[in-house]
Amino acid sequence: MDPINPGPEEYGQGGGGTSRSSEFETGKGPAPRQRPPRESLTADFGQHVPALARTVQLVSGDFLLTVNPVDGSEIEPCPPAERPARPAKMGEAERAEVARAARPPAPPGPTRPRLPLLARQDEREKLVRLLARGRSVRLTGPAGSGRTRLLDVVAEDCADLAPDGVVRLNGHRRSADDLLHDLFYAVHNAPLHRPDRDELVDCVREIGAVVVVDDLEFGGAALDELLDATPECAFVFGVTPDVPEPSADAGVEEVSLSHLDRAAGLDLLEHAVGRPLTEDESNWAGDLWFESEGLPLRFVQAGALLRQRDRLRAGADAVDEYGVFEDVWPGGTPGDTPAETPHGPADADEVPLPSLGEAAAPAPLLASRLSASARATLRFAVALGGEVPHQAHLPALVGDTHADAALGELVSCGLVSPAGSRYRLAAGVPAQLEAAGYADEAEAQARAAAQHYAWWAGHPSVTPERVCAEADAVLAALAVLSPLTEATTEGEAGTAVQLARAAAPAFAAGLHWSAWERALRSGAEAARLAGDVAEQAYFHHELGIHALCSGQLDRSRAELETSIGLRGALADKRGTVAGRRALALVADRSGVPLALTPTAGDEVPEARYEESASPPRGVPTAFPELQPPSDTALVINRGVPPSSPRPAKAGGGLKGLARRNLVAAGAGALLVAVLGTVVTLGATSENDAGTPSDNVGVNPSASQGVDDGSLGADPAAEEGDGDTGEATSRPTDPGPDGTLGTADDPTPTATESGEPSDGPSGTAKPDDPTQTQTPKPPTSKPPTSSKPPTSKPPTSEPPTSEPPTSEPPTSEPPVTSEPPPPSTSDTASGPTSSAPAGTSSSASAPQSVGVGTPSGSETVI
C-alpha cells in the first residue's frame, strides 16, 4: 500500500486502479473529501479572553454593598427582600471545622514528637478552675515563656465547660471590634453578612463559650468594652507584660508565668535532643539557663543546636559513602535517626559545643546549618517584618519545588512559632537574623513577595477567604513598599499600588475589614507618591465606603468628596456618579445637606447628565429637584455649566439657600395672586350666555305675582322669532345719553351676544314700532368675557340713595295665558324693567343685599 498514492479501495471507490490523486490532478473524478475538524480543548490560536472582574455582593448592617474592583464599590440601602435572616449558631461539627482552620497547618515532613509541658501544672489547674467558675483570666508572661503552649493545654481541658465549646482567637494586631466579629463568625453561620454594631452585640451576648485569645495587644477601656459585650463568655487572655492592664472594675484575674528552674530546663533540653545529656552538655545547659533567665524557648533552640552537632559529629564521609538521600548514619543501622546514633568521646572532641553567646542568640548559627530553601524563607520572613509566608507560596517565592519542606525545618529548630493560623518568627529571632545580614536585601525580597501576592490575590481562582488567611504577609509587604514608591513615567502602576488594588477587594469580600482599611491606606499613600491620580481616587472612594459602613459619617464625607474631586479632574463619569450616590447616602444618614458650592465633579458634562438618572433601588438624594407647577408654562434653562467653576460668593451655603427659597416663595405667591385675579375676572365677566339652559342659576329666586297666579317671568315669545330675551344679552354701548340701561341703548347683535342670528334681536317683537330694529354691524370689539382684566371690574355702579329709574319700558309685554320661560336673573327680585339689572350675576354687584330683598320700588310677595 503506497502511503503517498493510495488506491481507490481505501476510499470506497472501485475499478481502474487509478489513484485518487491522479484523478484530482487531471480534473476527473469527485472532489477530495475534506479532513474532519479536530476537536480541541481550547480555541486554536484564539486570543485570550480576560477574565471578568470578581464582584461580590454582601450585606453590611442595613446597606447592600457591591464590591467592585474596577470602578469602586457601590453601596445602597438594602431592600427588605434581600435582608438576611437572623444568623443561627453552628453545630458541633461545624464548630470543630472552624477550630481546625484556626490552627496553623502542620508542616510537611515526618511528625515530630511534641514536647511536654514542664513546671506549669499549678498555673494550668488555676486557669481551668477560674474558667469553670465563669471568671476571665489574664495570663501574663514574656515572649518565649511558653504561654502559647500552656493555652493549648488549657483549651483542651475546657472543651466541655461551655455550651458553645472553646473558641480560639488571635489578638495580633486586632482591635476589640475585630475580636467581636471574629467571635461572631466562629459561632454563627453568616456568610456574606456583616452585622452592624447593635445586631453584633445582640448576637454575641447570647454566646456562651470559653474564648482563648493569644497575643492580645490592648487593655483598659477597650478590654472593658469586649467584656461588657460578651457577658456569657469566659476569656483567657495571653499577653506580654507591656500590654496595658485591665481596669479595676473589669473583674479579670491575673496569672503570671514564672521562669523555669534549672532542673526543668535540663529536663526540657533532654526532651528536645532526644537523648540523655553528657556532663559537658549539662554544664553548658546550666550556663545557658543563667544567661537566658530560664526561658523555655532558649532550651528548645539549644536542643536544636545539639541535634545539629550530632549530625556534624557523624562526619561528612557519610554523604560520600551512602549518598545524600540515604537515611543511614555511621555507627548505626540503616533507618536510624541521628538521635538514636551513639557517638564516642573522641567524636565529641571534634565538634565543640556552641559558645555561650551563640547559645543565647542561636538564630544565625541554626540558620547557617539549614538548607538553602530554609535560609531563603528566613530572608523573606525578615523582609516581611517577621511574617512567614504560607508553605504553599514558598516554592514560587524561593524558586524551588521542594521549598515547602523548609517550614518543617524552621519549626523543628524553634525559629518560628505559631500565631493563630500562621507562623511568625520566634521572639528575638528577627533581630538576631538582621544582625547576621539577613536584612541586607529586604527591599528586593519584599518587592518579589509583593509581585507574587499581587498576581495571586487577583487570580479568579483564589477565594477571598484564602487571601484573608494571608493578610498579615500581604500587609507587611505593603507596609515596606508603600513609603518607597516613586513616580514612574511609563504609566504602569507600581508594585505597591498593584498589590493594594488586588488585595483590598478580596479583604472586603472576605469580611476582614481591618485589613481592608490598612490595604486602602497603604495603596492611597503609594498612589500619592507615584502621582497616579486615578488610583488615588479609587482608594479614597473605597475608604469613604468603608467609613460609611463603619458609621463614621464625617470621615466618609471627606473621603468621598476627595475622590469625587479627583475623578472630576480626570473626567471619570462612572466613578463620579458612584461617588455622588454614596455621598448622597451619607448626607441622608447624617442629616447634613451636601455643600451647594460647585465641586470638581460638576465640570464633567457627561457625569452631570448621568447623575440625573435614578440610582438602583431608589437611593435617596439630599435635595430633590424643584418641579414647576403643572398649570404654568415655564421654560427652564438646563444648559451645561461653564468649564471653569465660578468663584464662591458670600451668599453661598445655607444663607444662599435661604435667600433663594425666599425669592422662590415670593414668586410663587405672586403667581398665585395673578392666577386668582384672572380666574375672578373671568367669572365676573362671563355675561354672554351661549344657551338659555346654561344661564339658569343653581338657586333661581322666582316669586309669584300679586295680580295673577303666574310666576313673575317674561311671557314666551312667538314661535319662530328666535328671541332669547333681554336676560341673555347685556348692552355694551350706553347710547346717546351716555347712560347704560336706558331706552335709547342700542340692542346687541348676535355677534355681541355670542349666538348666531339671521336678524336683529331685542326685547320687543319685530312689528313693535317703538323699538329701533336697524341691525348693527359686527364690530371689532371682542366679547365682554374676553376683555383683558383691568383695575376696575366692569360692573354696574353701586346704588345711591335714590331708587333706580322708574320709567317703564317702551313696550309693556302683554299678559297671556302661556307659561312664560324661566328668567335668567339670579337676583332676589321679580321681573325688572331694565336689562342690566336682570342679567347681573356678579358677586361684586351690590344690587342684592340678601335673599328675598327687593331691588325695586315694587313689593314682591
Side-chain angles (χ1 to χ4, degrees):
M1 182 181 297
D2 188 2
I4 300 178
N5 298 319
E9 65 275 7
E10 296 184 38
Y11 300 95
Q13 301 175 4
T18 307
S19 65
R20 183 174 180 271
S21 60
S22 60
E23 292 180 358
F24 178 69
E25 291 176 358
T26 58
K28 300 177 182 180
R33 185 175 58 182
Q34 295 182 356
R35 185 178 182 179
R38 176 173 54 90
E39 296 181 1
S40 59
L41 298 178
T42 57
D44 292 344
F45 309 103
Q47 187 176 4
H48 175 68
V49 179
L52 298 177
R54 179 176 56 191
T55 59
V56 178
Q57 193 173 67
L58 54 92
V59 177
S60 173
D62 54 351
F63 295 116
L64 183 63
L65 177 63
T66 303
V67 180
N68 185 0
V70 179
D71 300 320
S73 301
E74 299 179 3
I75 188 171
E76 56 183 324
C78 183
E82 299 187 15
R83 290 183 180 272
R86 182 178 178 85
K89 291 185 178 181
M90 293 184 293
E92 185 177 355
E94 295 174 324
R95 291 202 309 267
E97 183 65 21
V98 172
R100 186 196 61 80
R103 301 299 304 272
T111 304
R112 291 162 178 81
R114 189 176 184 181
L115 297 178
L117 184 65
L118 302 176
R120 296 291 189 240
Q121 189 63 27
D122 295 340
E123 291 84 355
R124 175 182 178 179
E125 293 178 357
K126 185 177 181 180
L127 289 173
V128 174
R129 184 169 58 254
L130 292 173
L131 292 174
R133 294 165 53 187
R135 303 294 298 274
S136 296
V137 193
R138 188 172 183 258
L139 179 63
T140 306
S145 60
R147 186 183 63 247
T148 303
R149 181 73 178 91
L150 178 58
L151 291 178
D152 293 341
V153 177
V154 171
E156 295 176 359
D157 296 339
C158 300
D160 300 331
L161 291 182
D164 293 327
V166 178
V167 178
R168 295 185 60 90
L169 303 177
N170 182 24
H172 180 62
R173 295 180 179 177
R174 308 288 283 175
S175 62
D177 188 69
D178 294 335
L179 291 180
L180 283 177
H181 281 91
D182 292 344
L183 178 61
F184 168 78
Y185 292 119
V187 179
H188 294 83
N189 185 15
L192 297 178
H193 178 208
R194 183 178 175 88
D196 56 6
R197 182 66 181 183
D198 297 337
E199 186 178 1
L200 175 65
V201 173
D202 190 22
C203 290
V204 299
R205 190 177 297 275
E206 301 176 357
I207 297 177
V210 175
V211 185
V212 180
V213 184
D214 196 9
D215 296 329
L216 186 70
E217 297 182 353
F218 60 87
L223 185 59
D224 295 344
E225 178 184 356
L226 176 62
L227 294 174
D228 293 341
T230 55
E232 301 297 329
C233 293
F235 287 87
V236 52
F237 304 105
V239 298
T240 55
D242 57 344
V243 176
E245 297 182 357
S247 61
D249 300 334
V252 178
E253 300 289 340
E254 186 77 19
V255 175
S256 299
L257 283 181
S258 60
H259 301 282
L260 296 178
D261 54 11
R262 181 170 180 173
L266 294 177
D267 193 7
L268 180 60
L269 183 58
E270 288 185 353
H271 282 85
V273 177
R275 61 175 176 83
L277 300 177
T278 62
E279 185 177 356
D280 293 339
E281 291 172 347
S282 297
N283 295 333
W284 174 78
D287 297 338
L288 177 62
W289 173 82
F290 181 80
E291 182 68 21
S292 64
E293 298 179 353
L295 287 177
L297 178 62
R298 295 294 176 259
F299 290 97
V300 174
Q301 295 171 347
L305 287 175
L306 293 179
R307 290 199 307 269
Q308 290 179 349
R309 177 172 174 265
D310 292 341
R311 292 189 180 185
L312 291 175
R313 286 167 60 189
D317 296 338
V319 178
D320 300 333
E321 182 177 356
Y322 299 100
V324 178
F325 301 102
E326 291 290 335
D327 194 9
V328 179
W329 301 88
T333 59
D336 292 342
T337 60
E340 300 172 351
T341 304
H343 301 281
D347 296 333
D349 295 337
E350 296 177 1
V351 181
L353 288 170
S355 64
L356 190 59
E358 291 174 343
L365 183 58
L366 287 171
S368 64
R369 297 174 178 177
L370 296 177
S371 63
S373 298
R375 291 194 299 270
T377 303
L378 289 176
R379 294 184 184 276
F380 277 104
V382 171
L384 297 178
E387 297 293 338
V388 180
H390 193 273
Q391 58 189 11
H393 297 279
L394 293 180
L397 292 174
V398 176
D400 184 7
T401 56
H402 300 284
D404 54 344
L407 182 61
E409 298 182 51
L410 300 178
V411 172
S412 63
C413 293
L415 294 180
V416 297
S417 60
S421 61
R422 299 175 44 78
Y423 286 97
R424 287 180 51 85
L425 292 180
V429 173
Q432 299 172 23
L433 294 179
E434 289 178 5
Y438 279 77
D440 294 343
E441 299 178 356
E443 181 180 348
Q445 299 290 335
R447 192 174 301 277
Q451 291 175 353
H452 167 73
Y453 282 131
W455 167 83
W456 173 74
H459 200 274
S461 63
V462 181
T463 60
E465 290 75 17
R466 294 176 59 188
V467 181
C468 292
E470 201 70 11
D472 292 338
V474 172
L475 295 176
L478 282 174
V480 174
L481 293 182
S482 293
L484 303 177
T485 305
E486 297 179 356
T488 58
T489 58
E490 293 83 3
E492 183 179 356
T495 305
V497 176
Q498 292 178 357
L499 179 57
R501 281 298 303 264
F507 291 152
L511 301 177
H512 194 347
W513 282 17
S514 60
W516 183 28
E517 181 182 5
R518 291 175 58 191
L520 292 176
R521 295 203 173 278
S522 298
E525 178 66 15
R528 184 188 65 83
L529 294 176
D532 196 338
V533 181
E535 299 298 340
Q536 280 185 268
Y538 169 81
F539 289 121
H540 283 292
H541 175 84
E542 294 295 290
L543 285 171
I545 297 295
H546 178 274
L548 176 58
C549 294
S550 302
Q552 303 173 358
L553 300 180
D554 294 338
R555 178 175 157 193
S556 176
R557 180 191 299 268
E559 297 288 353
L560 289 174
E561 288 178 350
T562 303
S563 174
I564 292 173
L566 295 175
R567 283 177 165 172
L570 296 173
D572 183 5
K573 61 177 183 179
R574 293 175 60 90
T576 304
V577 169
R580 287 187 177 275
R581 289 175 179 173
L583 191 60
L585 191 57
V586 172
D588 178 69
R589 291 303 174 96
S590 61
V592 179
L594 299 176
L596 297 178
T597 55
T599 59
D602 291 337
E603 301 177 7
V604 187
E606 292 83 3
R608 183 181 183 90
Y609 294 147
E610 194 164 324
E611 182 189 4
S612 61
S614 177
R617 296 183 177 90
V619 177
T621 56
F623 288 104
E625 186 178 357
L626 295 177
Q627 300 293 335
S630 58
D631 56 347
T632 57
L634 300 181
V635 179
I636 301 176
N637 184 14
R638 296 186 179 272
V640 179
S643 57
S644 58
R646 298 180 180 178
K649 297 182 180 180
L654 296 178
K655 293 184 179 180
L657 175 63
R659 184 177 294 113
R660 283 191 289 271
N661 288 341
L662 291 177
V663 172
L670 180 60
L671 180 63
V672 170
V674 171
L675 292 176
T677 304
V678 171
V679 172
T680 303
L681 293 179
T684 56
S685 60
E686 186 66 27
N687 295 322
D688 293 345
T691 57
S693 61
D694 294 336
N695 293 302
V696 179
V698 296
N699 189 17
S701 56
S703 57
Q704 188 176 6
V706 217
D707 300 335
D708 54 5
S710 64
L711 296 176
D714 295 337
E718 294 183 1
E719 183 179 359
D721 56 3
D723 190 11
T724 57
E726 293 180 356
T728 60
S729 62
R730 180 177 180 178
T732 58
D733 192 354
D737 57 351
T739 303
L740 291 172
T742 57
D744 60 345
D745 293 346
T747 302
T749 61
T751 304
E752 296 179 358
S753 61
E755 291 288 332
S757 177
D758 296 336
S761 60
T763 57
K765 296 181 180 180
D767 56 350
D768 194 347
T770 59
Q771 295 291 337
T772 303
Q773 300 180 5
T774 304
K776 185 178 179 180
T779 61
S780 60
K781 291 184 180 182
T784 308
S785 59
S786 63
K787 288 184 179 181
T790 58
S791 58
K792 189 174 181 180
T795 57
S796 58
E797 297 181 359
T800 58
S801 57
E802 297 180 0
T805 174
S806 59
E807 184 179 353
T810 309
S811 174
E812 186 72 16
V815 178
T816 61
S817 61
E818 298 177 2
S823 176
T824 58
S825 173
D826 56 357
T827 58
S829 60
T832 56
S833 59
S834 62
T839 60
S840 177
S841 62
S842 173
S844 60
Q847 279 86 352
S848 61
V849 181
V851 178
T853 304
S855 59
S857 58
E858 299 179 2
T859 302
V860 180
I861 298 178

